[in-house]
Amino acid sequence: MTSSSSSSSAFALDSFSYGKSLVRLLRVVRDPSNPKKQDVIEYTVQSLLTGPTLDTSYTEGDNTLVVPTDTQKNTIHYFAKTLDGPSVLCPEKFALELGNHFVKRYDHVTKCTIDVIAQKWSRIELDDGPHPHAFVRDGDEKRTVFVQTEKARVNGQDAVVCTQLKGGMKDLLVLKSSGSAFHSFWRDEFTTLKAVNDRIFSTSVECQYNFALPTGSLSEYLSSPTLPDFNAISSCVRKHTLRVFATHESASVQATLYLMCTEILGDAPTTDALVDVGYALPNKHYVPINLDWAKLDNLTETTAEVFHPQADPSGLIKAVVKRTGDGGAPKL
Ligand SMILES: O=c1[nH]c(=O)c2[nH]c(=O)[nH]c2[nH]1
């Protein structure tokens, strides 16, 4: 059936949002007392707006209320330029400022989501200390932020509130060549996997954590002295992730993942602002290469030295751990 012959009453617009993705920017922040001492951040930002009266932009081609995606991109650039150093250098604060703006500025925009991906630019360390304005991309790892903001009534007043606030990281590639086992698993007629006491464990860490949501308006939260130290929490998550990965005598990816989460949540007070921590860990397989043809033993746990990195398939182990007292059985 062509669209012209179908009845429009058979359809209802169910959900919609629109905005700009892949808005890339680099911001330089100069130290006022020494302009050659600088910080940089490089962000890839996405904004998505929605609101009930925007439905006619889809159903009737009515653009009257459409804040163009180009305007959203300009706004992201404007905030990157005008926010002070501490706000722009922290991706959570940057995302919250944008989410607050889009919902506050436009009466008909009732909800907004902001995604920020922060690239890694580390200061170059020289023999005589850190360089004031030279940086190195020392890894693919990125810091991630997801913010959702909405219109609401707070203490009888119109306000913008934050309904989701997530930090995280992704693309942190790690490998350990020992200290990882996998045995005693379920066996049936489909099983060919051999149990191992020692194997290579490699994963590209993706981690996401939910911050406790502000109870009042977002404007109040952003100017509050008790705002969490988002940068310190990010460093803390990274530190525990790497420490647990390196030191845990791993029974499985699952067991290491769970320990990472509990170690992070247990690191009070640094992480008291977190309500949960979750990971998605691909198990990137390395398979010993058969060198029997050369009469070289390379296939046992103790003799395997040359491995084939497998592009695919990989395992994928995911879980979220929250503090107890939140109630409820695990969501499967
Ligand atoms: O740590 C692991 N967990 C699994 O669930 C699994 N499954 C598998 O084949 N290898 C592994 N390794």
Side-chain angles (χ1 to χ4, degrees):
M1 192 190 292
T2 63
S3 56
S4 57
S5 62
S6 65
S7 158
S8 61
S9 64
F11 310 110
L13 188 65
D14 197 30
S15 64
F16 54 91
S17 60
Y18 77 101
K20 204 64 134 189
S21 71
L22 300 174
V23 181
R24 297 191 55 184
L25 62 98
L26 180 127
R27 162 79 193 265
V28 177
V29 176
R30 297 185 181 85
D31 183 340
S33 62
N34 175 7
K36 286 286 188 189
K37 171 134 185 6
Q38 300 174 359
D39 288 291
V40 296
I41 52 86
E42 183 173 340
Y43 291 154
T44 303
V45 186
Q46 174 178 283
S47 61
L48 288 174
L49 310 184
T50 192
T53 55
L54 282 159
D55 61 345
T56 52
S57 66
Y58 293 84
T59 58
E60 293 169 29
D62 176 0
N63 292 334
T64 328
L65 293 177
V66 176
V67 178
T69 67
D70 191 64
T71 305
Q72 296 180 43
K73 177 256 301 169
N74 290 345
T75 308
I76 293 165
H77 289 159
Y78 176 87
F79 272 66
K81 171 73 179 171
T82 56
L83 282 176
D84 62 11
S87 298
V88 80
L89 291 171
C90 172
E92 284 86 354
K93 287 189 196 166
F94 184 65
L96 286 166
E97 292 282 2
L98 282 169
N100 192 37
H101 167 83
F102 282 122
V103 174
K104 193 190 259 181
R105 176 71 180 77
Y106 303 106
D107 285 347
H108 58 286
V109 172
T110 55
K111 197 189 268 192
C112 160
T113 63
I114 304 288
D115 273 278
V116 179
I117 300 170
Q119 302 287 341
K120 193 157 189 276
W121 283 121
S122 304
R123 203 173 284 285
I124 293 179
E125 295 286 336
L126 300 177
D127 288 344
D128 54 353
H131 195 275
H133 52 256
F135 303 87
V136 57
R137 170 69 48 82
D138 54 347
D140 286 339
E141 164 194 0
K142 288 130 197 129
R143 193 165 150 190
T144 60
V145 172
F146 177 80
V147 159
Q148 181 176 274
T149 56
E150 294 182 45
K151 287 197 199 309
R153 300 281 291 171
V154 175
N155 299 328
Q157 309 254 316
D158 286 336
V160 180
V161 295
C162 178
T163 47
Q164 285 195 61
L165 174 52
K166 296 173 194 280
M169 62 179 169
K170 65 177 186 180
D171 300 335
L172 174 65
L173 190 57
V174 288
L175 179 148
K176 64 198 271 188
S177 48
S178 185
S180 166
F182 189 63
H183 52 71
S184 315
F185 43 82
W186 184 279
R187 288 195 171 277
D188 61 21
E189 67 274 30
F190 295 103
T191 309
T192 58
L193 187 70
K194 290 195 176 68
V196 280
N197 292 305
D198 201 28
R199 64 175 180 172
I200 289 178
F201 177 7
S202 177
T203 188
S204 175
V205 177
E206 183 179 334
C207 174
Q208 208 175 42
Y209 38 89
N210 274 293
F211 291 99
L213 293 174
T215 46
S217 78
L218 188 46
S219 303
E220 273 173 86
Y221 180 70
L222 279 166
S223 56
S224 143
T226 58
L227 202 63
D229 186 341
F230 296 113
N231 290 340
I233 291 171
S234 167
S235 303
C236 172
V237 169
R238 185 176 191 277
K239 178 187 77 175
H240 287 305
T241 301
L242 293 179
R243 178 181 58 76
V244 171
F245 177 77
T247 58
H248 185 221
E249 282 299 320
S250 174
S252 63
V253 178
Q254 287 88 330
T256 302
L257 183 161
Y258 183 74
L259 187 62
M260 287 174 176
C261 296
T262 55
E263 289 290 295
I264 290 166
L265 291 172
D267 187 357
T270 320
T271 54
D272 260 3
L274 299 183
V275 294
D276 65 32
V277 179
Y279 286 90
L281 299 181
N283 189 6
K284 298 171 91 61
H285 303 303
Y286 285 76
V287 179
I289 292 172
N290 188 333
L291 295 175
D292 286 356
W293 60 270
K295 299 195 171 45
L296 293 170
D297 181 0
N298 193 59
L299 294 180
T300 70
E301 270 174 43
T302 48
T303 59
E305 292 170 306
V306 184
F307 296 81
H308 180 243
Q310 292 219 297
D312 54 69
S314 72
L316 181 60
I317 315 297
K318 297 167 73 161
V320 175
V321 177
K322 61 180 181 175
R323 294 185 194 282
T324 51
D326 295 351
K331 286 194 271 310
L332 298 176

